[in-house]
Amino acid sequence: MAAPQDDMFSLCVDPLKVRQNVEVRFIDNVKGKGIFAKRDIRKGESIFTERPLISAQFLWNALYKYKGESRASCEYCMRSLETAEENAQRLSGKPGLSLPRPELCRVRPDLQQACPQCQVMYCSAECRQAALDQYHRALCLGGSHEDPDHPVNKLQEAWRNVHFPPETSSIMLMAKMVATVKQAQDKGRWQRLFSQFCCRSANEEEELAHKLLGEKFQGQLALLRGLFTTALYDEHLVRWFTPEGFCSLFSLVGTNGQGIGTSSLSQWVHACDALELPDQQREQLDAFIDQLYKDIEKETGDFLNCEGSGLFLLQSSCNHSCVPNGEASFPDNYFLLHLTALSDVRAGEEICISYLDCCQRDRSRHSRHKILRENYLFVCSCSKCTSQADEPDVTSDEEEDGEAEGETEDEMTDV
C-alpha cells in the first residue's frame, strides 16, 4: 500500500515491510477499512510490527505498585520494570527463588529513571525523554503526585471507581491524546492522526448504540467529563470537551484501544525455549518452568502481565472474525505489537483479528453477537457466525453462571 504521508506512521511501523505484506482498503460504510494480504503469508509468519501513537498502563494495574514505590511498567513503553527473577518471586510467593540462566533477562534496573518532578518511572533515559517530548510536560504532577485533590488524581480516582478490573482501556489514553496536542508545535498534525481512528458512538444502519453511552451511564459520563475538563481543558480542543466530543473520545478508545500485556518473566521463558540444549539440560529447565507456573497459578492465578492499552494506526484497521487468521502479541516485553498469521493467508485475503478473548470466542453465537454489538457496534457475519445462523439464540453457560454469581453491568467494565 502507499504509506500514509504523515511521518509519525513511519516511526510506528516499518513502511517497507508494510508495503510488501499488506494494503489497507475501504470496504463499506459499516466495516470501514480492512487490511488485505498483498502476497501469500505462511502460518506463524510476522505480518507487521507496530508501535502505538500512545499507550497507557491500566490505572488499577499501576495502583498495585509492584516494585515498592515505583509502578509495574515503564510509563512510556510499558516495559516491565521488574527483572524476570523479581517477577517470578512475587508471583510465586517465594522471595528466595532464583531463576536459572538469569542472563536471559533483558530488564536493566541500572538504566531505569524516575521523572525528577513527579517520580513516575521509566525503563531508560530514552523513554523518559520521549514521554517528556510528547506529552509528559502537560501531565506531570510535580510535587502534587500524591495529592488526592489534584485534578488529574481526582480524574484517575473517579475512573477507578466506575471501571473496576478487568479494565479494557483507560481514561489516560484520552488524557495523553489531549496532552500530546497541547505540547505539539503542529497541533493539526496530531489531530489528523487521531481523526483516523473510528470514533462513532452509534451504528445507525444497524440501530446500535454503544452500551456505555446510554442513559444508565449518563451520570458517570458527566462526572468524568467535568473532571476531564478541569484537569486538561485546552482551547485548541474545545470540541473534545463538549458532551458530544467527549462521548466520541470515549468511543474512540473503547473501540480502537488494543490491550497490551508485557512480562519480563514471559520474555525470559521465551528466551529459554529458544536455547539449544542437551536433552538432559532441556528436561531440567522445562521441568523448572513447569513447576514455576504451577506455583504461580496456585499463588496468584493467571495474572502475569503488566497490562494497559494503546492506539495503533495500522492495527486499528484490522476487522474482527470469530475465526481470526491474525493475532496481535507483545513478545518483546514492551509496547511493540507483532501481528502474526494464525493460518496460511492467500494474497488478496483479508487479515482479521478477534476482538474477543479466547473464552468469549468459545461462547454461543448469540453471546458473541451481544458482546460485539454492545462494544463494537456491528453484527458479525464471519464464516463461524454464518455457519451457526440456524442455532437457537441462547446465552452461553458462562454468562448465565456469571449472572447467577451476581455480576452487574452497572460498571464501565467494557471500555
Side-chain angles (χ1 to χ4, degrees):
M1 75 176 185
Q5 295 301 307
D6 200 291
D7 60 345
M8 179 53 67
F9 185 83
S10 297
L11 295 175
C12 292
V13 300
D14 179 349
L16 177 61
K17 188 172 185 180
V18 169
R19 285 196 294 270
Q20 291 174 336
N21 289 350
V22 299
E23 63 180 350
V24 178
R25 300 180 196 165
F26 179 79
I27 300 175
D28 55 43
N29 290 329
V30 176
K31 276 194 169 184
K33 296 177 290 185
I35 291 183
F36 294 81
K38 293 186 68 175
R39 63 173 182 83
D40 291 347
I41 299 173
R42 292 180 177 275
K43 177 180 179 180
E45 188 176 345
S46 173
I47 301 171
F48 62 78
T49 58
E50 181 179 16
R51 294 173 51 171
L53 292 181
I54 53 170
S55 62
Q57 188 180 348
F58 292 151
L59 291 179
W60 279 106
N61 197 259
L63 188 66
Y64 293 138
K65 297 185 178 180
Y66 294 140
K67 281 199 66 182
E69 294 304 316
S70 69
R71 296 193 175 194
S73 67
C74 173
E75 195 276 335
Y76 180 72
C77 77
M78 287 198 59
R79 188 183 303 276
S80 172
L81 298 179
E82 291 179 313
T83 65
E85 188 166 273
E86 290 171 329
N87 196 205
Q89 289 170 348
R90 174 176 58 80
L91 292 172
S92 66
K94 296 182 176 181
L97 178 70
S98 295
L99 291 187
R101 301 190 178 269
E103 71 278 3
L104 296 179
C105 175
R106 300 178 189 174
V107 175
R108 294 284 304 278
D110 56 308
L111 299 180
Q112 295 173 9
Q113 293 191 3
C115 169
Q117 280 75 43
C118 68
Q119 305 306 309
V120 164
M121 286 296 297
Y122 298 94
C123 68
S124 64
E126 291 77 13
C127 276
R128 182 168 74 86
Q129 190 62 50
L132 194 66
D133 291 343
Q134 182 178 339
Y135 58 77
H136 189 65
R137 286 189 179 92
L139 286 179
C140 182
L141 304 189
S144 300
H145 61 281
E146 293 185 351
D147 179 4
D149 292 324
H150 189 284
V152 173
N153 285 335
K154 291 177 73 172
L155 175 65
Q156 294 188 18
E157 179 64 19
W159 176 258
R160 283 191 290 264
N161 287 335
V162 302
H163 195 322
F164 295 101
E167 286 181 82
T168 52
S169 194
S170 175
I171 196 77
M172 293 311 294
L173 283 181
M174 297 164 61
K176 287 184 176 181
M177 290 171 68
V178 171
T180 294
V181 176
K182 273 189 173 187
Q183 285 192 203
Q185 291 186 340
D186 186 350
K187 301 182 187 301
R189 166 177 171 267
W190 278 99
Q191 289 175 288
R192 289 191 299 274
L193 282 168
F194 291 135
S195 71
Q196 294 183 40
F197 294 98
C198 173
C199 60
R200 64 180 179 174
S201 57
N203 178 347
E204 290 80 6
E205 294 186 28
E206 298 287 351
E207 297 184 352
L208 299 174
H210 199 290
K211 74 174 188 179
L212 297 177
L213 302 179
E215 290 186 9
K216 183 164 56 175
F217 295 110
Q218 289 307 302
Q220 294 173 335
L221 286 168
L223 170 65
L224 289 170
R225 186 176 74 86
L227 293 170
F228 189 77
T229 302
T230 301
L232 299 161
Y233 183 78
D234 185 87
E235 61 182 11
H236 294 94
L237 296 168
V238 173
R239 62 185 179 85
W240 284 3
F241 295 92
T242 65
E244 296 78 11
F246 184 75
C247 285
S248 292
L249 279 187
F250 214 78
S251 182
L252 186 155
V253 299
T255 56
N256 294 280
Q258 164 66 47
I260 299 173
T262 61
S263 168
S264 55
L265 177 59
S266 293
Q267 188 182 36
W268 174 84
V269 170
H270 288 311
C272 287
D273 290 342
L275 290 174
E276 294 185 6
L277 298 172
D279 290 346
Q280 185 177 3
Q281 291 184 32
R282 168 54 61 192
E283 290 175 6
Q284 290 175 343
L285 184 57
D286 288 349
F288 177 88
I289 293 172
D290 289 343
Q291 185 59 50
L292 175 60
Y293 276 122
K294 290 177 182 177
D295 293 340
I296 288 173
E297 184 175 7
K298 182 178 178 181
E299 179 71 17
T300 57
D302 296 328
F303 184 73
L304 303 179
N305 297 334
C306 301
E307 295 186 323
S309 60
L311 295 176
F312 295 82
L313 270 177
L314 187 57
Q315 174 273 342
S316 68
S317 295
C318 288
N319 284 309
H320 164 84
S321 172
C322 297
V323 280
N325 56 10
E327 181 178 52
S329 62
F330 299 87
D332 300 322
N333 188 32
Y334 77 123
F335 61 17
L336 183 68
L337 178 150
H338 291 245
L339 190 74
T340 305
L342 290 176
S343 58
D344 290 345
V345 182
R346 293 190 176 186
E349 185 178 350
E350 185 176 7
I351 297 169
C352 293
I353 60 177
S354 177
Y355 298 173
L356 306 173
D357 62 33
C358 293
C359 293
Q360 290 171 334
R361 290 204 297 271
D362 290 335
R363 292 181 179 178
S364 68
R365 176 178 180 270
H366 175 71
S367 295
R368 299 196 309 272
H369 279 205
K370 180 175 183 288
I371 296 169
L372 294 169
R373 284 197 309 268
E374 292 180 342
N375 295 291
Y376 298 100
L377 307 177
F378 69 90
V379 177
C380 184
S381 58
C382 71
S383 58
K384 182 175 182 178
C385 289
T386 301
S387 68
Q388 296 175 344
D390 294 332
E391 294 185 3
D393 287 340
V394 294
T395 301
S396 292
D397 293 340
E398 296 93 334
E399 286 182 288
E400 291 176 349
D401 291 343
E403 290 168 3
E405 293 170 4
E407 283 187 355
T408 177
E409 293 189 356
D410 290 334
E411 298 156 1
M412 293 183 168
T413 54
D414 290 298
V415 66

